[in-house]
Amino acid sequence: MTDDPLQQSGQRSPGSPLPRANDRDERVVPFRERLSCTVDEACVVTGLGRTKLYELIGSGQLITTTIGRRRLVIVRSLLELVDRTISA
């Protein structure tokens, strides 16, 4: 723990080195341009719960991919699902 209140609040104090940015921090990709998202992110952007999203995945209405143990929702399929729902 530090006595510097700026460091405790996450702010830089004058003269402190800049935090190193990795590739993820340098550019924020708009959601529509992303290739995939997590199930939790899909819940946030759609307002649907995890159970409903997994039902949609199970019925083939929502396309996912699994890399290792991580399941990723294909953003294009999520956008198409919402577009179909709005059009109907």
Side-chain angles (χ1 to χ4, degrees), residues 15-88:
S16 65
L18 291 172
R20 294 187 65 180
N22 61 24
D23 291 340
R24 297 176 113 186
D25 294 336
E26 290 179 11
R27 181 169 180 242
V28 175
V29 179
F31 191 80
R32 284 188 159 283
E33 293 179 20
R34 292 178 60 179
L35 298 176
S36 65
C37 68
T38 65
V39 172
D40 288 338
E41 290 171 327
C43 289
V44 170
V45 298
T46 62
L48 299 173
R50 291 177 63 85
T51 302
K52 186 61 179 177
L53 281 178
Y54 278 105
E55 286 176 11
L56 293 168
I57 292 166
S59 68
Q61 296 180 61
L62 197 55
I63 300 169
T64 64
T65 188
T66 304
I67 301 174
R69 293 175 51 194
R70 187 173 184 144
R71 180 180 294 269
L72 298 172
V73 177
I74 304 302
V75 170
R76 187 175 2 178
S77 75
L78 188 62
L79 295 171
E80 289 171 2
L81 174 73
V82 173
D83 288 341
R84 281 193 310 263
T85 306
I86 291 172
S87 300

